Amino acid sequence: MEKSENFDRNSGGKSKTTIGILSALLGVAVIAAVFFGIKSSNFQSTSETLQSDLNALNETHTTLQGEVDTLETDYQSQIEENNTLIATLEERKVEVEQLQARVQRARAQLTESQSMNEKINERLVQLESLKDSLESDIASLQMENQELLATNEAISLDLEMSKMQINDLNDRITVLNNKNEALTSRLFQIAPAGFVADNFAIKAVRKNQKLTSKASQTNEILVRFDLRDVPKEYQTDEELYLVVTEFDGNPIDYITGKTVQIKSAEPMEVKAADVERIKLGDLQNVEMSFTPEKNLESGLYNVLVYADHGFLGSTSFELR
């Protein structure tokens, strides 16, 4: 009995425990059902949201795929265009290099042109100055030309007068030459020395020993001549005499000299302006001279050379 009661108590206790457990399980199940219901609802909502997002992503993928295809096409086009641009760029580089070379040449030409332009400008300034100078000279020359024209007219008149005087002098000189030749011929006839003097050279010099042709400046007259083919019998010491006269043979008072006797076939007396004693040989060059006491007058003069025993030769000279 006690065992039955114990059994009943134990059975009753187990039932309570079982009920408690089942109740707990039921509570858990309810809770789990509620949780999972809520979870399922949330999952459903999330699933719908994800599906919507997936659809949107698909649309975006499709759009992006189209854009990628477009970009791929554009990329290929850009590559082709880039290749074309690279080739064009190389051509442009060559053109730029050529252009740079042309620019450098142009700059060099410009520099040279500027330098040349400066030189041209300097030359133009010089030419302008020269032009002004020439215009001034031309004006002066025109005035001088007018004066020269007037002078030329006066000179023409003087020339006419001079021509007349020259013709008259030529006539007189011709007469005097004839007389002089006759005198020389006469001297050779009446007083031959047996040899002659020739190759005469006359020089008129000033005080500074410079040559002159002006009578007023003449300080000394130098006379050179040759004695050639001197016979043996005359090749001894001999005195030579230099005589100076006017062209007509008249003596000159203001030339001092020594009066000597020429021992020719017909003895004659002459006034020697210079006397030289030399030893004669077959050929010699002789120099004699004289100095007038006052200025010589312009005109023609005779120079005659004598030896002790006769006449040797003569020449003439003129002073202006």
Side-chain angles (χ1 to χ4, degrees), residues 64-301:
L64 289 176
Q65 185 65 43
E67 291 179 355
V68 166
D69 293 340
T70 302
L71 289 174
E72 183 68 22
T73 302
D74 291 342
Y75 175 73
Q76 293 298 328
S77 176
Q78 290 294 327
I79 289 176
E80 294 176 359
E81 183 178 355
N82 186 57
N83 291 333
T84 302
L85 288 175
I86 289 174
T88 303
L89 180 60
E90 293 298 326
E91 294 177 357
R92 293 297 180 268
K93 284 182 178 179
V94 174
E95 292 178 358
V96 167
E97 291 175 354
Q98 293 176 347
L99 183 59
Q100 287 177 339
R102 290 175 59 187
V103 168
Q104 290 178 351
R105 288 196 299 269
R107 285 178 177 173
Q109 291 175 353
L110 178 60
T111 301
E112 183 178 357
S113 176
Q114 289 175 342
S115 176
M116 182 64 69
N117 190 47
E118 290 177 357
K119 292 180 180 178
I120 290 173
N121 287 334
E122 291 177 359
R123 184 59 178 164
L124 286 174
V125 171
Q126 294 176 353
L127 289 175
E128 188 67 26
S129 176
L130 180 60
K131 173 178 171 290
D132 294 340
S133 177
L134 287 175
E135 288 177 348
S136 177
D137 290 342
I138 288 172
S140 298
L141 287 173
Q142 287 175 342
M143 293 179 62
E144 291 179 5
N145 189 46
Q146 292 176 355
E147 294 176 357
L148 287 173
L149 287 174
T151 304
N152 188 49
E153 292 177 359
I155 290 174
S156 297
L157 294 175
D158 291 341
L159 283 175
E160 291 298 325
M161 295 295 295
S162 297
K163 286 179 182 179
M164 294 175 63
Q165 292 175 356
I166 288 171
N167 290 333
D168 182 59
L169 286 173
N170 285 335
D171 292 338
R172 291 177 59 193
I173 289 172
T174 300
V175 173
L176 290 173
N177 275 331
N178 291 336
K179 289 183 178 181
N180 191 44
E181 290 177 1
L183 175 61
T184 302
S185 178
R186 175 65 177 164
L187 286 172
F188 276 122
Q189 288 177 2
I190 65 175
F195 54 95
V196 297
D198 58 10
N199 293 334
F200 280 90
I202 308 294
K203 291 182 180 180
V205 296
R206 297 184 287 183
K207 290 182 179 181
N208 57 8
Q209 296 301 306
K210 290 186 178 180
L211 298 179
T212 183
S213 61
K214 294 183 178 180
S216 60
Q217 295 179 353
T218 299
N219 183 62
E220 184 179 16
I221 299 293
L222 302 177
V223 182
R224 290 190 178 93
F225 55 89
D226 291 336
L227 294 176
R228 64 180 70 233
D229 300 326
V230 178
K232 292 291 185 181
E233 61 268 24
Y234 295 115
Q235 294 183 14
T236 60
D237 289 344
E238 183 93 21
E239 280 194 342
L240 303 179
Y241 309 109
L242 182 67
V243 177
V244 182
T245 70
E246 294 180 354
F247 196 68
D248 57 5
N250 292 323
I252 302 174
D253 295 334
Y254 53 86
I255 296 179
T256 59
K258 176 183 178 182
T259 301
V260 296
Q261 190 76 25
I262 305 299
K263 305 177 186 68
S264 56
E266 293 185 17
M268 64 180 67
E269 190 176 86
V270 297
K271 182 181 178 182
D274 187 26
V275 178
E276 293 287 342
R277 186 171 184 84
I278 65 173
K279 181 174 179 58
L280 297 178
D282 182 63
L283 172 64
Q284 51 272 304
N285 180 264
V286 182
E287 180 177 309
M288 302 180 75
S289 65
F290 70 93
T291 301
E293 293 181 355
K294 67 175 186 177
N295 289 341
L296 293 171
E297 297 177 358
S298 60
L300 293 169
Y301 295 88

Side-chain angles (χ1 to χ4, degrees), residues 26-69:
L26 180 61
V28 168
V30 171
I31 294 170
V34 172
F35 174 78
F36 283 108
I38 295 171
K39 200 73 173 172
S40 176
S41 177
N42 290 337
F43 179 79
Q44 182 68 31
S45 177
T46 302
S47 177
E48 291 175 356
T49 300
L50 288 175
Q51 185 64 42
S52 176
D53 291 341
L54 180 62
N55 293 333
L57 287 174
N58 286 331
E59 292 178 0
T60 302
H61 176 268
T62 303
T63 301
L64 289 176
Q65 185 65 43
E67 291 179 355
V68 166
D69 293 340

